[in-house]
């Protein structure tokens, strides 16, 4: 297969590229290298089956169309992540996650030969879920611009799929973790924060009472889901991608080992995320293989990845999350 991975230099994208190349496919990465990095794919620099184009999907529409001309499979994983900067700069998120997705879809539509288009959606579309495990049909209620723009991207994908007969699938990822998860930029996902704190011998900044839980899903399982969805006969479907379980932050701390510093609970954050994955189990036959404990073991084996990551203190976090608190405190 000839695959194009948009956002292939990012965390999940680069693991997908590993898997596609391992299976002997020809891969073109389209990335603007803003949050992704060539380091994530440096292991493939001698591989003739890999090509990389630096393209900004929000601007270079013609270059994007040219890049997709021979594509059989398109995986769209390019997006701006993180909650706090999306509250501070929603327009930037709208451009990257909505306009960017629109441009990708228009490029796919233009040549009309795609066998499958996979979109990386986010579990944040469920907001503060009421039902656990949460089903694809449960209430959609994004709580901040990141969540909203990823959902808008999904709506575009499904609409373009129906109207222009593009075989699309949207996968709603729940808290993906694994080696290469992003460490730079703003205060981000809990694993990056905690592993950097552990390396620096600092206490873990646990939010609230730490009893809140997340459906932490290991990145190679997410990649398997993406690949299986691309090969399946299903079209115009949405699937949750989760681990089949959920784990508290205190359990994470216990497994990582270290002291705790409690910091205030953040508004707009769910107490639990937990995906119902029965739809993809039945429909596509995917199920996760790496459990939480094993995933953490792999993270700790790769802890040097976080050696140059910023070490956040409770004061830094308080400063970073101020805009978010301000925006949501009335809710
Ligand atoms: N979290 C924490 N300390 C931190 C960062 C995050 O206890 O320094 C918690 C946070 O409250 C949430 C979980 O870790 O319950 C996952 O947070 P993350 O930002 O990774 O993902 P999201 O909130 O988007 O699920």
């Amino acid at each position: 297969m000839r695959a194009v991975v948009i956002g292939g230099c990012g965390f999940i994208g680069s693991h997908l590229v590993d898997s596609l190349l391992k299976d002997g496919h020809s891969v073109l990465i389209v990335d603007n290298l803003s949050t992704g990095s060539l380091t994530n794919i440096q292991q493939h620099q001698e591989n003739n089956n890999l090509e990389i184009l630096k393209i900004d999907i929000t601007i270079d529409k013609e270059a994007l169309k040219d890049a997709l001309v021979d594509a059989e499979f398109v995986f769209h994983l390019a997006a701006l992540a993180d909650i706090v900067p999306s509250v501070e700069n929603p327009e930037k998120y709208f451009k990257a996650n909505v306009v960017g997705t629109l441009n990708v879809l228009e490029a796919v539509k233009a040549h009309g030969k795609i066998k499958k288009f996979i979109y990386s959606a986010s579990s944040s579309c469920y907001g503060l879920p009421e039902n656990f495990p949460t089903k694809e049909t449960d209430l959609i209620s994004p709580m901040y611009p990141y969540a909203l723009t990823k959902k808008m991207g999904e709506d575009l994908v499904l609409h373009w799929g129906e109207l222009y007969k593009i075989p699309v699938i949207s996968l709603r990822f729940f808290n993906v973790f694994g080696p290469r998860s992003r460490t730079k930029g703003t205060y981000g996902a809990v694993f990056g924060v905690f592993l950097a704190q552990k390396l620096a011998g600092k206490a873990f900044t646990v939010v609230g009472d730490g009893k809140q839980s997340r459906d932490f899903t290991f990145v190679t399982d997410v990649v398997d889901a993406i690949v299986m969805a691309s090969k399946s006969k299903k079209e115009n479907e949405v699937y949750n991608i989760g681990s089949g379980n959920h784990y508290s932050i205190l359990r994470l701390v216990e497994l990582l080992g270290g002291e705790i510093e409690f910091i205030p609970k953040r508004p707009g954050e769910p107490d639990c995320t937990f995906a119902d994955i029965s739809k993809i189990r039945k429909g596509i036959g995917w199920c996760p293989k790496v459990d939480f404990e094993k995933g953490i073991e792999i993270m700790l084996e790769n802890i040097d990845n976080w050696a140059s990551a910023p070490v956040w203190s409770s004061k830094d976090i308080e400063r970073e999350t101020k805009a978010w608190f301000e925006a949501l405190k009335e809710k």
Side-chain angles (χ1 to χ4, degrees):
M1 75 155 93
R2 168 89 170 148
V4 177
V5 182
I6 303 170
C9 293
F11 163 44
I12 305 174
S14 66
H15 282 276
L16 174 62
V17 169
D18 291 346
S19 166
L20 294 170
L21 288 174
K22 187 161 162 269
D23 289 345
H25 303 301
S26 142
V27 177
L28 168 65
I29 292 178
V30 168
D31 204 299
N32 70 353
L33 296 176
S34 64
T35 54
S37 145
L38 290 175
T39 325
N40 286 341
I41 48 150
Q42 66 185 3
Q43 62 280 20
H44 304 302
Q45 46 184 330
E46 306 294 324
N47 193 326
N48 293 330
N49 281 336
L50 176 66
E51 220 183 305
I52 305 166
L53 285 177
K54 187 168 182 239
I55 293 175
D56 186 329
I57 58 168
T58 65
I59 304 167
D60 309 331
K61 290 200 240 176
E62 290 311 312
L64 188 55
K65 277 187 189 150
D66 292 344
L68 296 191
V69 158
D70 298 324
E72 290 174 273
F73 294 84
V74 176
F75 302 92
H76 179 29
L77 293 112
L80 283 180
D82 287 334
I83 301 169
V84 176
S86 86
V87 174
E88 288 166 345
N89 197 344
E91 194 179 344
K92 190 170 156 200
Y93 276 71
F94 186 86
K95 279 197 190 124
N97 298 351
V98 185
V99 177
T101 300
L102 172 67
N103 291 343
V104 169
L105 288 166
E106 283 294 278
V108 167
K109 189 183 103 188
H111 79 94
K113 283 178 297 199
I114 301 288
K115 291 193 177 140
K116 194 61 66 70
F117 179 93
I118 306 286
Y119 175 73
S120 58
S122 165
S123 62
S124 59
C125 65
Y126 299 116
L128 308 176
E130 280 172 10
N131 303 321
F132 300 103
T134 308
K135 285 187 190 302
E136 290 84 351
T137 46
D138 278 334
L139 185 71
I140 298 297
S141 173
M143 297 293 289
Y144 33 81
Y146 164 69
L148 177 65
T149 56
K150 285 301 290 177
K151 181 66 182 90
M152 291 168 94
E154 178 183 274
D155 289 343
L156 287 173
V157 167
L158 297 174
H159 196 85
W160 260 239
E162 286 282 348
L163 189 61
Y164 302 112
K165 307 284 174 275
I166 302 168
V168 302
I169 288 185
S170 177
L171 301 176
R172 293 181 184 158
F173 302 153
F174 282 65
N175 293 73
V176 185
F177 75 109
R180 294 183 221 148
S181 69
R182 210 157 46 74
T183 58
K184 294 201 191 73
T186 53
Y187 154 73
V190 64
F191 266 97
V193 176
F194 281 7
L195 289 174
Q197 287 167 340
K198 183 174 171 71
L199 270 176
K202 303 274 187 222
F204 298 123
T205 48
V206 170
V207 167
D209 59 8
K211 288 189 184 143
Q212 73 274 29
S213 63
R214 289 292 179 274
D215 190 334
F216 289 111
T217 316
F218 199 67
V219 67
T220 51
D221 281 332
V222 172
V223 165
D224 286 347
I226 297 172
V227 172
M228 287 180 74
S230 73
K231 290 181 182 162
S232 81
K233 293 203 166 58
K234 302 285 181 186
E235 292 181 9
N236 267 55
E237 292 285 357
V238 174
Y239 296 102
N240 283 341
I241 306 298
S243 67
N245 212 329
H246 60 116
Y247 313 87
S248 74
I249 301 307
L250 291 180
R251 174 73 181 137
L252 170 59
V253 165
E254 193 187 342
L255 290 167
L256 291 177
E259 299 298 309
I260 293 179
E261 181 185 0
F262 289 99
I263 61 173
K265 194 171 176 328
R266 312 188 291 190
E269 261 203 353
D271 287 333
C272 173
T273 68
F274 179 20
D276 186 320
I277 52 173
S278 51
K279 186 176 172 192
I280 189 160
R281 272 188 202 273
K282 282 190 209 114
I284 293 184
W286 171 83
C287 64
K289 296 192 193 91
V290 182
D291 66 25
F292 190 49
E293 284 77 7
K294 178 72 195 162
I296 288 183
E297 213 181 290
I298 298 171
M299 295 295 271
L300 288 173
E301 282 162 12
N302 287 276
I303 197 164
D304 289 346
N305 279 199
W306 286 271
S308 58
V311 183
W312 292 92
S313 69
S314 52
K315 286 257 171 309
D316 298 326
I317 294 173
E318 199 183 314
R319 195 185 56 242
E320 275 286 311
T321 50
K322 202 161 173 244
W324 185 19
F325 273 77
E326 289 298 316
L328 294 172
K329 72 180 170 197
E330 301 306 327
K331 289 205 172 187

